[in-house]
Amino acid sequence: MSDDVWSYALKLYARPGIEAACLSLQEGGADACLLLASAWLGSTGVAFETSRMSELEGTAQGWREEVIVPLRSLRQRWRESAKQDTQLAPLRERIKQLELEAEQVLLGRLEMVAQDWPRGEAEDLARWLEAAAGEAGGLRRDARETLRTAASLS
């Protein structure tokens, strides 16, 4: 694999439309880190297996609920207040940075889970993304398709 999952995620996320697609799917209940890790796995030819996705989801769930979601919630709650409060604005930016660092940690954990899974077995990108998107992917197919298209070009 040429890129670790963090480097891959940064490159993919920087592509046009990917941030909006990930945020749309996240608003629908998907985990953006799981989506990015799934794109990485699919683009490297890791065969999709339900048990593998379950392992990734199990790894992500606790960290997401205990660390990422509380940071994101606080950052979002402070959005409007920080526009008016010059002392709150830099604190909000620090929370935003912590949230990003927490996502980097989660992506690293997901990479560790998948480190021994064979690469080049299959072209299962669509299956990985469909599973990672869950119900949000059905409701926001355009966002899932945008992500799949960009990841297939990686």
Side-chain angles (χ1 to χ4, degrees), residues 54-116:
S54 294
E55 194 172 352
L56 293 174
E57 289 172 338
T59 298
Q61 184 179 10
W63 189 257
R64 178 180 57 243
E65 291 174 3
E66 293 295 320
V67 181
I68 295 173
V69 169
L71 289 169
R72 182 176 300 134
S73 295
L74 182 58
R75 178 182 55 80
Q76 290 172 339
R77 266 197 325 267
W78 287 0
R79 179 179 289 133
E80 292 306 313
S81 298
K83 291 177 184 177
Q84 316 304 323
D85 188 330
T86 58
Q87 293 175 321
L88 185 58
L91 292 175
R92 183 178 181 273
E93 284 303 311
R94 287 172 48 197
I95 295 294
K96 186 176 181 179
Q97 186 59 40
L98 283 173
E99 182 184 351
L100 184 62
E101 288 175 29
E103 290 172 336
Q104 183 176 8
V105 168
L106 176 53
L107 285 169
R109 289 176 178 203
L110 295 173
E111 181 176 357
M112 289 298 293
V113 167
Q115 71 182 352
D116 294 329

Side-chain angles (χ1 to χ4, degrees), residues 21-33:
C22 286
L23 292 176
S24 175
L25 290 163
Q26 183 174 279
E27 288 170 7
D31 180 323
C33 290

Side-chain angles (χ1 to χ4, degrees), residues 1-17:
M1 194 163 324
S2 59
D3 287 326
D4 59 85
V5 70
W6 179 247
S7 299
Y8 175 89
L10 289 176
K11 288 176 189 173
L12 182 60
Y13 202 80
R15 290 188 174 181

